[in-house]
Amino acid sequence: MLSFSFKDGQASHNIFGIALSLSLLGNLIVLLYQSNIILGITSHKYTYINDDHPRSLPLTVSTTNMVFRNDLGHFGMGKDRQTWGEWATRRPVVAGFVFLGDTYLPFDVAMWHQVHCLNHIRSIILHGDDGSDHTLHCFHYLRQAILCNADSTLEPWPKQSFDVDGNEVFPGDGITHTCKDFQYVYEWTTKQQEGWSQEQIERYEMFGTMKHGHGDEGGNHTMGNGGMHAHASQ
């Protein structure tokens, strides 16, 4: 005849509690491991030697709202000094290059690379293609950057094709997008460049005097194959 005592029930309850606790602990470990992969959380201290470096700038960029507008009076296609000046100030003075780590490992920041490519294509439209591979590179680079960003903002279709002044109305004009704070990245990049040592300045001058074709933004330079531009994805 089977008998069941209070002690047996308590023991079973304790075993169940331990098993449940171990199960929860295991799930927590798996969750933390997956978060480390998905979010890139890591305690690794980068040496900035060869490929041992982060994929993004070591800073947290907050989001901000930006209203997209067809501002026909700025950043246009003209050849006047004002237009060239606006495009020239769209990137930091020393283009978008930074040195990171104790090794002064050089990088081109993707956003500034993209702005450069947009202005290069603008220059090609104004002056004609120079026959180099640079234009095709920029075309594909911007295509991939747009797909990478995957902006899912909804843009209602305009209710009319032209406004009261006869200007064509395009989809997306006046729509608010949630964006990364590009001004913060601009200020960070500029401050980082202002703190360059003489060695960093000389390293930049060694590679940075080579331009990507004609018509680039004033004094903003991009690196040749041996310099920072070699880090950019083709």
Side-chain angles (χ1 to χ4, degrees):
M1 181 176 180
L2 296 175
S3 63
F4 184 80
S5 66
F6 175 77
K7 291 184 178 180
D8 293 334
Q10 187 178 27
S12 299
H13 179 76
N14 290 340
I15 293 174
F16 176 78
I18 293 174
L20 179 61
S21 298
L22 291 176
S23 176
L24 292 175
L25 179 61
N27 289 335
L28 179 61
I29 292 174
V30 172
L31 179 62
L32 291 175
Y33 176 76
Q34 292 177 338
S35 298
N36 181 59
I37 296 176
I38 297 173
L39 301 178
I41 301 173
T42 177
S43 59
H44 175 70
K45 183 176 178 61
Y46 294 104
T47 63
Y48 290 94
I49 297 176
N50 296 325
D51 293 330
D52 186 28
H53 58 77
R55 295 173 58 187
S56 303
L57 283 176
L59 70 161
T60 301
V61 182
S62 61
T63 58
T64 184
N65 290 332
M66 179 188 298
V67 179
F68 282 24
R69 298 193 183 281
N70 293 325
D71 192 352
L72 303 180
H74 298 280
F75 298 100
M77 300 295 294
K79 299 180 180 180
D80 58 282
R81 295 178 62 88
Q82 176 183 341
T83 300
W84 283 107
E86 288 178 341
W87 281 98
T89 58
R90 188 68 287 170
R91 291 198 300 168
V93 176
V94 195
F97 305 116
V98 296
F99 291 98
L100 299 178
D102 295 335
T103 61
Y104 297 160
L105 192 62
F107 295 92
D108 186 355
V109 179
M111 180 176 71
W112 306 128
H113 186 175
Q114 293 161 19
V115 171
H116 155 77
C117 272
L118 178 61
N119 194 31
H120 173 76
I121 292 177
R122 186 185 78 92
S123 299
I124 291 301
I125 294 175
L126 289 174
H127 302 290
D129 197 351
D130 58 2
S132 71
D133 294 332
H134 186 196
T135 303
L136 188 60
H137 153 74
C138 279
F139 183 78
H140 287 300
Y141 188 75
L142 290 178
R143 173 183 61 84
Q144 293 170 97
I146 293 171
L147 296 176
C148 178
N149 187 50
D151 188 347
S152 58
T153 303
L154 296 177
E155 300 179 340
W157 197 256
K159 297 179 181 180
Q160 55 189 28
S161 300
F162 297 89
D163 61 18
V164 294
D165 296 322
N167 299 315
E168 187 173 359
V169 178
F170 296 95
D173 188 24
I175 301 300
T176 300
H177 295 243
T178 299
C179 313
K180 290 184 177 179
D181 189 352
F182 75 90
Q183 186 64 35
Y184 176 68
V185 179
Y186 180 96
E187 293 171 356
W188 186 94
T189 305
T190 300
K191 185 176 180 180
Q192 207 265 2
Q193 292 173 348
E194 290 174 350
W196 281 3
S197 65
Q198 185 59 36
E199 178 185 350
Q200 290 170 310
I201 294 174
E202 291 174 356
R203 288 188 65 184
Y204 170 77
E205 291 177 344
M206 182 181 302
F207 300 110
T209 53
M210 299 179 63
K211 288 188 177 182
H212 272 164
H214 60 268
D216 198 15
E217 305 103 304
N220 288 337
H221 297 163
T222 51
M223 300 301 184
N225 292 333
M228 300 179 187
H229 187 68
H231 291 276
S233 170
Q234 300 293 326

mmCIF file of all heavy atoms in Angstrom, residues 63-103:
data_model
loop_
_atom_site.group_PDB
_atom_site.id
_atom_site.type_symbol
_atom_site.label_atom_id
_atom_site.label_comp_id
_atom_site.label_asym_id
_atom_site.label_seq_id
_atom_site.Cartn_x
_atom_site.Cartn_y
_atom_site.Cartn_z
ATOM 1 N N THR A 63 17.890 60.512 -31.511
ATOM 2 C CA THR A 63 17.031 60.767 -32.660
ATOM 3 C C THR A 63 16.422 62.162 -32.568
ATOM 4 O O THR A 63 16.316 62.751 -31.494
ATOM 5 C CB THR A 63 15.897 59.729 -32.735
ATOM 6 O OG1 THR A 63 15.137 59.774 -31.524
ATOM 7 C CG2 THR A 63 16.456 58.336 -32.939
ATOM 8 N N THR A 64 16.042 62.688 -33.699
ATOM 9 C CA THR A 64 15.414 64.004 -33.772
ATOM 10 C C THR A 64 14.437 64.006 -34.939
ATOM 11 O O THR A 64 14.560 63.179 -35.859
ATOM 12 C CB THR A 64 16.471 65.106 -33.961
ATOM 13 O OG1 THR A 64 15.836 66.391 -33.942
ATOM 14 C CG2 THR A 64 17.212 64.942 -35.273
ATOM 15 N N ASN A 65 13.481 64.894 -34.911
ATOM 16 C CA ASN A 65 12.509 64.991 -35.998
ATOM 17 C C ASN A 65 12.981 66.008 -37.040
ATOM 18 O O ASN A 65 13.471 67.084 -36.691
ATOM 19 C CB ASN A 65 11.139 65.401 -35.479
ATOM 20 C CG ASN A 65 10.482 64.291 -34.675
ATOM 21 O OD1 ASN A 65 10.746 63.111 -34.906
ATOM 22 N ND2 ASN A 65 9.633 64.659 -33.735
ATOM 23 N N MET A 66 12.832 65.651 -38.302
ATOM 24 C CA MET A 66 13.219 66.540 -39.394
ATOM 25 C C MET A 66 12.090 66.604 -40.415
ATOM 26 O O MET A 66 11.592 65.566 -40.857
ATOM 27 C CB MET A 66 14.500 66.052 -40.081
ATOM 28 C CG MET A 66 14.938 66.937 -41.248
ATOM 29 S SD MET A 66 16.312 66.214 -42.196
ATOM 30 C CE MET A 66 17.584 66.136 -40.927
ATOM 31 N N VAL A 67 11.686 67.811 -40.765
ATOM 32 C CA VAL A 67 10.659 67.998 -41.782
ATOM 33 C C VAL A 67 11.342 68.108 -43.137
ATOM 34 O O VAL A 67 12.179 68.983 -43.359
ATOM 35 C CB VAL A 67 9.815 69.268 -41.504
ATOM 36 C CG1 VAL A 67 8.764 69.445 -42.604
ATOM 37 C CG2 VAL A 67 9.147 69.175 -40.134
ATOM 38 N N PHE A 68 11.014 67.201 -44.039
ATOM 39 C CA PHE A 68 11.588 67.226 -45.379
ATOM 40 C C PHE A 68 10.868 68.287 -46.210
ATOM 41 O O PHE A 68 9.639 68.280 -46.293
ATOM 42 C CB PHE A 68 11.423 65.859 -46.055
ATOM 43 C CG PHE A 68 12.401 64.822 -45.594
ATOM 44 C CD1 PHE A 68 13.001 64.908 -44.347
ATOM 45 C CD2 PHE A 68 12.734 63.750 -46.411
ATOM 46 C CE1 PHE A 68 13.907 63.958 -43.906
ATOM 47 C CE2 PHE A 68 13.641 62.786 -45.990
ATOM 48 C CZ PHE A 68 14.222 62.889 -44.736
ATOM 49 N N ARG A 69 11.650 69.179 -46.825
ATOM 50 C CA ARG A 69 11.061 70.238 -47.647
ATOM 51 C C ARG A 69 11.814 70.369 -48.968
ATOM 52 O O ARG A 69 13.025 70.180 -49.018
ATOM 53 C CB ARG A 69 11.088 71.577 -46.903
ATOM 54 C CG ARG A 69 10.277 71.576 -45.608
ATOM 55 C CD ARG A 69 10.071 72.984 -45.077
ATOM 56 N NE ARG A 69 9.359 72.999 -43.807
ATOM 57 C CZ ARG A 69 8.043 72.861 -43.688
ATOM 58 N NH1 ARG A 69 7.310 72.703 -44.770
ATOM 59 N NH2 ARG A 69 7.459 72.884 -42.499
ATOM 60 N N ASN A 70 11.075 70.694 -50.006
ATOM 61 C CA ASN A 70 11.702 70.986 -51.297
ATOM 62 C C ASN A 70 12.183 72.436 -51.274
ATOM 63 O O ASN A 70 11.555 73.329 -51.825
ATOM 64 C CB ASN A 70 10.706 70.784 -52.442
ATOM 65 C CG ASN A 70 10.321 69.332 -52.604
ATOM 66 O OD1 ASN A 70 11.126 68.432 -52.402
ATOM 67 N ND2 ASN A 70 9.064 69.083 -52.959
ATOM 68 N N ASP A 71 13.308 72.638 -50.584
ATOM 69 C CA ASP A 71 13.843 73.989 -50.437
ATOM 70 C C ASP A 71 14.619 74.352 -51.703
ATOM 71 O O ASP A 71 15.825 74.161 -51.802
ATOM 72 C CB ASP A 71 14.765 74.054 -49.216
ATOM 73 C CG ASP A 71 15.125 75.475 -48.832
ATOM 74 O OD1 ASP A 71 14.784 76.385 -49.618
ATOM 75 O OD2 ASP A 71 15.728 75.683 -47.776
ATOM 76 N N LEU A 72 13.889 74.879 -52.679
ATOM 77 C CA LEU A 72 14.491 75.154 -53.982
ATOM 78 C C LEU A 72 15.503 76.281 -53.935
ATOM 79 O O LEU A 72 16.269 76.473 -54.885
ATOM 80 C CB LEU A 72 13.389 75.482 -54.991
ATOM 81 C CG LEU A 72 12.309 74.398 -55.167
ATOM 82 C CD1 LEU A 72 11.274 74.839 -56.193
ATOM 83 C CD2 LEU A 72 12.932 73.072 -55.568
ATOM 84 N N GLY A 73 15.549 77.025 -52.821
ATOM 85 C CA GLY A 73 16.471 78.146 -52.738
ATOM 86 C C GLY A 73 17.839 77.792 -52.188
ATOM 87 O O GLY A 73 18.736 78.638 -52.155
ATOM 88 N N HIS A 74 18.021 76.542 -51.748
ATOM 89 C CA HIS A 74 19.291 76.141 -51.150
ATOM 90 C C HIS A 74 19.698 74.751 -51.630
ATOM 91 O O HIS A 74 18.862 73.946 -52.025
ATOM 92 C CB HIS A 74 19.197 76.148 -49.622
ATOM 93 C CG HIS A 74 18.909 77.499 -49.045
ATOM 94 N ND1 HIS A 74 19.885 78.457 -48.864
ATOM 95 C CD2 HIS A 74 17.745 78.056 -48.615
ATOM 96 C CE1 HIS A 74 19.345 79.546 -48.336
ATOM 97 N NE2 HIS A 74 18.049 79.335 -48.183
ATOM 98 N N PHE A 75 21.017 74.513 -51.599
ATOM 99 C CA PHE A 75 21.585 73.218 -51.994
ATOM 100 C C PHE A 75 21.069 72.794 -53.363
ATOM 101 O O PHE A 75 20.638 71.660 -53.566
ATOM 102 C CB PHE A 75 21.277 72.141 -50.942
ATOM 103 C CG PHE A 75 21.872 72.433 -49.603
ATOM 104 C CD1 PHE A 75 21.101 72.971 -48.584
ATOM 105 C CD2 PHE A 75 23.216 72.192 -49.375
ATOM 106 C CE1 PHE A 75 21.652 73.261 -47.347
ATOM 107 C CE2 PHE A 75 23.780 72.470 -48.141
ATOM 108 C CZ PHE A 75 23.010 73.006 -47.126
ATOM 109 N N GLY A 76 21.140 73.725 -54.280
ATOM 110 C CA GLY A 76 20.611 73.468 -55.613
ATOM 111 C C GLY A 76 21.648 72.926 -56.579
ATOM 112 O O GLY A 76 22.673 72.362 -56.191
ATOM 113 N N MET A 77 21.366 73.124 -57.860
ATOM 114 C CA MET A 77 22.219 72.611 -58.927
ATOM 115 C C MET A 77 23.004 73.722 -59.614
ATOM 116 O O MET A 77 23.649 73.484 -60.632
ATOM 117 C CB MET A 77 21.351 71.895 -59.966
ATOM 118 C CG MET A 77 20.564 70.724 -59.415
ATOM 119 S SD MET A 77 21.651 69.393 -58.854
ATOM 120 C CE MET A 77 22.366 68.900 -60.424
ATOM 121 N N GLY A 78 22.959 74.934 -59.064
ATOM 122 C CA GLY A 78 23.623 76.056 -59.715
ATOM 123 C C GLY A 78 25.141 76.019 -59.608
ATOM 124 O O GLY A 78 25.722 75.259 -58.832
ATOM 125 N N LYS A 79 25.769 76.898 -60.388
ATOM 126 C CA LYS A 79 27.225 77.029 -60.381
ATOM 127 C C LYS A 79 27.684 78.282 -59.644
ATOM 128 O O LYS A 79 28.867 78.594 -59.621
ATOM 129 C CB LYS A 79 27.752 77.069 -61.818
ATOM 130 C CG LYS A 79 27.455 75.811 -62.633
ATOM 131 C CD LYS A 79 28.020 75.927 -64.039
ATOM 132 C CE LYS A 79 27.727 74.681 -64.858
ATOM 133 N NZ LYS A 79 28.286 74.773 -66.247
ATOM 134 N N ASP A 80 26.734 78.997 -59.023
ATOM 135 C CA ASP A 80 27.082 80.231 -58.337
ATOM 136 C C ASP A 80 27.825 79.947 -57.044
ATOM 137 O O ASP A 80 27.799 78.835 -56.499
ATOM 138 C CB ASP A 80 25.811 81.034 -58.046
ATOM 139 C CG ASP A 80 24.820 80.228 -57.215
ATOM 140 O OD1 ASP A 80 24.138 79.352 -57.805
ATOM 141 O OD2 ASP A 80 24.745 80.432 -55.993
ATOM 142 N N ARG A 81 28.494 80.975 -56.506
ATOM 143 C CA ARG A 81 29.328 80.830 -55.326
ATOM 144 C C ARG A 81 28.509 80.443 -54.088
ATOM 145 O O ARG A 81 28.978 79.667 -53.246
ATOM 146 C CB ARG A 81 30.093 82.130 -55.059
ATOM 147 C CG ARG A 81 31.103 82.482 -56.139
ATOM 148 C CD ARG A 81 31.781 83.804 -55.839
ATOM 149 N NE ARG A 81 32.530 83.739 -54.587
ATOM 150 C CZ ARG A 81 33.811 83.331 -54.497
ATOM 151 N NH1 ARG A 81 34.465 82.952 -55.592
ATOM 152 N NH2 ARG A 81 34.428 83.310 -53.339
ATOM 153 N N GLN A 82 27.302 80.955 -53.987
ATOM 154 C CA GLN A 82 26.471 80.624 -52.832
ATOM 155 C C GLN A 82 26.161 79.128 -52.791
ATOM 156 O O GLN A 82 26.254 78.496 -51.738
ATOM 157 C CB GLN A 82 25.157 81.403 -52.860
ATOM 158 C CG GLN A 82 24.206 81.027 -51.714
ATOM 159 C CD GLN A 82 22.876 81.756 -51.785
ATOM 160 O OE1 GLN A 82 22.747 82.770 -52.449
ATOM 161 N NE2 GLN A 82 21.873 81.218 -51.107
ATOM 162 N N THR A 83 25.799 78.578 -53.947
ATOM 163 C CA THR A 83 25.469 77.153 -53.996
ATOM 164 C C THR A 83 26.669 76.295 -53.660
ATOM 165 O O THR A 83 26.582 75.349 -52.868
ATOM 166 C CB THR A 83 24.931 76.778 -55.391
ATOM 167 O OG1 THR A 83 23.754 77.546 -55.666
ATOM 168 C CG2 THR A 83 24.586 75.299 -55.452
ATOM 169 N N TRP A 84 27.829 76.625 -54.252
ATOM 170 C CA TRP A 84 29.039 75.855 -53.955
ATOM 171 C C TRP A 84 29.407 75.995 -52.482
ATOM 172 O O TRP A 84 29.872 75.048 -51.846
ATOM 173 C CB TRP A 84 30.195 76.328 -54.835
ATOM 174 C CG TRP A 84 30.099 75.820 -56.247
ATOM 175 C CD1 TRP A 84 29.763 76.537 -57.355
ATOM 176 C CD2 TRP A 84 30.310 74.480 -56.681
ATOM 177 N NE1 TRP A 84 29.761 75.732 -58.465
ATOM 178 C CE2 TRP A 84 30.096 74.462 -58.083
ATOM 179 C CE3 TRP A 84 30.665 73.295 -56.039
ATOM 180 C CZ2 TRP A 84 30.221 73.294 -58.841
ATOM 181 C CZ3 TRP A 84 30.794 72.134 -56.796
ATOM 182 C CH2 TRP A 84 30.577 72.146 -58.190
ATOM 183 N N GLY A 85 29.203 77.200 -51.939
ATOM 184 C CA GLY A 85 29.515 77.407 -50.526
ATOM 185 C C GLY A 85 28.642 76.575 -49.607
ATOM 186 O O GLY A 85 29.106 76.035 -48.604
ATOM 187 N N GLU A 86 27.344 76.470 -49.946
ATOM 188 C CA GLU A 86 26.432 75.662 -49.130
ATOM 189 C C GLU A 86 26.850 74.194 -49.139
ATOM 190 O O GLU A 86 26.856 73.532 -48.093
ATOM 191 C CB GLU A 86 25.000 75.817 -49.639
ATOM 192 C CG GLU A 86 24.405 77.178 -49.331
ATOM 193 C CD GLU A 86 23.003 77.334 -49.893
ATOM 194 O OE1 GLU A 86 22.638 76.557 -50.808
ATOM 195 O OE2 GLU A 86 22.279 78.224 -49.431
ATOM 196 N N TRP A 87 27.191 73.692 -50.317
ATOM 197 C CA TRP A 87 27.616 72.301 -50.387
ATOM 198 C C TRP A 87 28.955 72.080 -49.683
ATOM 199 O O TRP A 87 29.196 71.021 -49.102
ATOM 200 C CB TRP A 87 27.697 71.849 -51.846
ATOM 201 C CG TRP A 87 26.356 71.523 -52.422
ATOM 202 C CD1 TRP A 87 25.574 72.334 -53.197
ATOM 203 C CD2 TRP A 87 25.622 70.320 -52.242
ATOM 204 N NE1 TRP A 87 24.399 71.701 -53.516
ATOM 205 C CE2 TRP A 87 24.399 70.453 -52.947
ATOM 206 C CE3 TRP A 87 25.872 69.124 -51.567
ATOM 207 C CZ2 TRP A 87 23.445 69.450 -52.988
ATOM 208 C CZ3 TRP A 87 24.918 68.114 -51.607
ATOM 209 C CH2 TRP A 87 23.717 68.291 -52.309
ATOM 210 N N ALA A 88 29.820 73.093 -49.739
ATOM 211 C CA ALA A 88 31.136 72.967 -49.105
ATOM 212 C C ALA A 88 31.030 72.877 -47.587
ATOM 213 O O ALA A 88 31.843 72.213 -46.931
ATOM 214 C CB ALA A 88 32.026 74.140 -49.499
ATOM 215 N N THR A 89 30.036 73.544 -47.011
ATOM 216 C CA THR A 89 29.884 73.538 -45.562
ATOM 217 C C THR A 89 29.005 72.393 -45.075
ATOM 218 O O THR A 89 28.772 72.274 -43.870
ATOM 219 C CB THR A 89 29.272 74.868 -45.078
ATOM 220 O OG1 THR A 89 28.000 75.071 -45.732
ATOM 221 C CG2 THR A 89 30.199 76.028 -45.407
ATOM 222 N N ARG A 90 28.541 71.551 -45.991
ATOM 223 C CA ARG A 90 27.689 70.426 -45.580
ATOM 224 C C ARG A 90 28.502 69.354 -44.847
ATOM 225 O O ARG A 90 27.969 68.593 -44.048
ATOM 226 C CB ARG A 90 26.986 69.822 -46.790
ATOM 227 C CG ARG A 90 25.928 68.788 -46.478
ATOM 228 C CD ARG A 90 24.725 69.397 -45.797
ATOM 229 N NE ARG A 90 24.966 69.793 -44.401
ATOM 230 C CZ ARG A 90 24.143 70.507 -43.668
ATOM 231 N NH1 ARG A 90 23.010 70.946 -44.171
ATOM 232 N NH2 ARG A 90 24.426 70.827 -42.427
ATOM 233 N N ARG A 91 29.818 69.309 -45.151
ATOM 234 C CA ARG A 91 30.715 68.384 -44.452
ATOM 235 C C ARG A 91 31.721 69.180 -43.621
ATOM 236 O O ARG A 91 31.944 70.364 -43.879
ATOM 237 C CB ARG A 91 31.487 67.510 -45.447
ATOM 238 C CG ARG A 91 30.650 66.506 -46.186
ATOM 239 C CD ARG A 91 31.512 65.416 -46.801
ATOM 240 N NE ARG A 91 32.481 65.936 -47.763
ATOM 241 C CZ ARG A 91 33.497 65.225 -48.254
ATOM 242 N NH1 ARG A 91 33.660 63.985 -47.870
ATOM 243 N NH2 ARG A 91 34.318 65.755 -49.129
ATOM 244 N N PRO A 92 32.340 68.532 -42.615
ATOM 245 C CA PRO A 92 33.411 69.213 -41.873
ATOM 246 C C PRO A 92 34.525 69.639 -42.816
ATOM 247 O O PRO A 92 34.663 69.113 -43.926
ATOM 248 C CB PRO A 92 33.888 68.137 -40.888
ATOM 249 C CG PRO A 92 32.698 67.251 -40.701
ATOM 250 C CD PRO A 92 32.015 67.220 -42.050
ATOM 251 N N VAL A 93 35.358 70.579 -42.361
ATOM 252 C CA VAL A 93 36.409 71.146 -43.214
ATOM 253 C C VAL A 93 37.340 70.064 -43.745
ATOM 254 O O VAL A 93 37.737 70.073 -44.902
ATOM 255 C CB VAL A 93 37.216 72.206 -42.435
ATOM 256 C CG1 VAL A 93 38.370 72.721 -43.290
ATOM 257 C CG2 VAL A 93 36.304 73.358 -42.036
ATOM 258 N N VAL A 94 37.701 69.109 -42.891
ATOM 259 C CA VAL A 94 38.606 68.034 -43.314
ATOM 260 C C VAL A 94 37.764 66.814 -43.696
ATOM 261 O O VAL A 94 37.997 65.699 -43.231
ATOM 262 C CB VAL A 94 39.619 67.684 -42.209
ATOM 263 C CG1 VAL A 94 40.764 66.851 -42.780
ATOM 264 C CG2 VAL A 94 40.180 68.947 -41.568
ATOM 265 N N ALA A 95 36.776 67.046 -44.546
ATOM 266 C CA ALA A 95 35.875 66.001 -45.021
ATOM 267 C C ALA A 95 35.270 65.268 -43.833
ATOM 268 O O ALA A 95 34.850 65.882 -42.875
ATOM 269 C CB ALA A 95 36.626 65.056 -45.962
ATOM 270 N N GLY A 96 35.208 63.934 -43.879
ATOM 271 C CA GLY A 96 34.576 63.196 -42.786
ATOM 272 C C GLY A 96 35.492 62.198 -42.145
ATOM 273 O O GLY A 96 35.053 61.142 -41.685
ATOM 274 N N PHE A 97 36.777 62.519 -42.086
ATOM 275 C CA PHE A 97 37.758 61.549 -41.619
ATOM 276 C C PHE A 97 38.078 61.732 -40.147
ATOM 277 O O PHE A 97 38.146 62.858 -39.642
ATOM 278 C CB PHE A 97 39.034 61.656 -42.446
ATOM 279 C CG PHE A 97 38.775 61.510 -43.920
ATOM 280 C CD1 PHE A 97 39.013 62.552 -44.789
ATOM 281 C CD2 PHE A 97 38.246 60.339 -44.428
ATOM 282 C CE1 PHE A 97 38.750 62.429 -46.135
ATOM 283 C CE2 PHE A 97 37.974 60.206 -45.775
ATOM 284 C CZ PHE A 97 38.232 61.246 -46.630
ATOM 285 N N VAL A 98 38.261 60.603 -39.468
ATOM 286 C CA VAL A 98 38.583 60.623 -38.051
ATOM 287 C C VAL A 98 39.683 59.605 -37.769
ATOM 288 O O VAL A 98 39.863 58.647 -38.526
ATOM 289 C CB VAL A 98 37.351 60.298 -37.178
ATOM 290 C CG1 VAL A 98 36.276 61.362 -37.347
ATOM 291 C CG2 VAL A 98 36.788 58.919 -37.501
ATOM 292 N N PHE A 99 40.411 59.834 -36.687
ATOM 293 C CA PHE A 99 41.385 58.872 -36.179
ATOM 294 C C PHE A 99 40.881 58.354 -34.839
ATOM 295 O O PHE A 99 40.470 59.143 -33.980
ATOM 296 C CB PHE A 99 42.756 59.525 -35.980
ATOM 297 C CG PHE A 99 43.453 59.902 -37.261
ATOM 298 C CD1 PHE A 99 43.395 61.208 -37.734
ATOM 299 C CD2 PHE A 99 44.158 58.964 -37.982
ATOM 300 C CE1 PHE A 99 44.032 61.569 -38.909
ATOM 301 C CE2 PHE A 99 44.804 59.315 -39.169
ATOM 302 C CZ PHE A 99 44.740 60.612 -39.626
ATOM 303 N N LEU A 100 40.908 57.037 -34.653
ATOM 304 C CA LEU A 100 40.416 56.450 -33.420
ATOM 305 C C LEU A 100 41.460 55.544 -32.783
ATOM 306 O O LEU A 100 42.259 54.906 -33.490
ATOM 307 C CB LEU A 100 39.140 55.637 -33.679
ATOM 308 C CG LEU A 100 37.941 56.404 -34.240
ATOM 309 C CD1 LEU A 100 36.780 55.447 -34.494
ATOM 310 C CD2 LEU A 100 37.508 57.521 -33.303
ATOM 311 N N GLY A 101 41.444 55.482 -31.463
ATOM 312 C CA GLY A 101 42.343 54.597 -30.731
ATOM 313 C C GLY A 101 43.745 55.150 -30.580
ATOM 314 O O GLY A 101 44.117 56.165 -31.171
ATOM 315 N N ASP A 102 44.522 54.462 -29.765
ATOM 316 C CA ASP A 102 45.906 54.875 -29.528
ATOM 317 C C ASP A 102 46.770 54.713 -30.765
ATOM 318 O O ASP A 102 47.864 55.289 -30.854
ATOM 319 C CB ASP A 102 46.497 54.064 -28.369
ATOM 320 C CG ASP A 102 45.800 54.354 -27.040
ATOM 321 O OD1 ASP A 102 45.242 55.461 -26.912
ATOM 322 O OD2 ASP A 102 45.806 53.475 -26.162
ATOM 323 N N THR A 103 46.303 53.909 -31.725
ATOM 324 C CA THR A 103 47.072 53.684 -32.949
ATOM 325 C C THR A 103 46.749 54.703 -34.029
ATOM 326 O O THR A 103 47.303 54.633 -35.122
ATOM 327 C CB THR A 103 46.787 52.276 -33.502
ATOM 328 O OG1 THR A 103 45.385 52.169 -33.808
ATOM 329 C CG2 THR A 103 47.178 51.204 -32.486
#
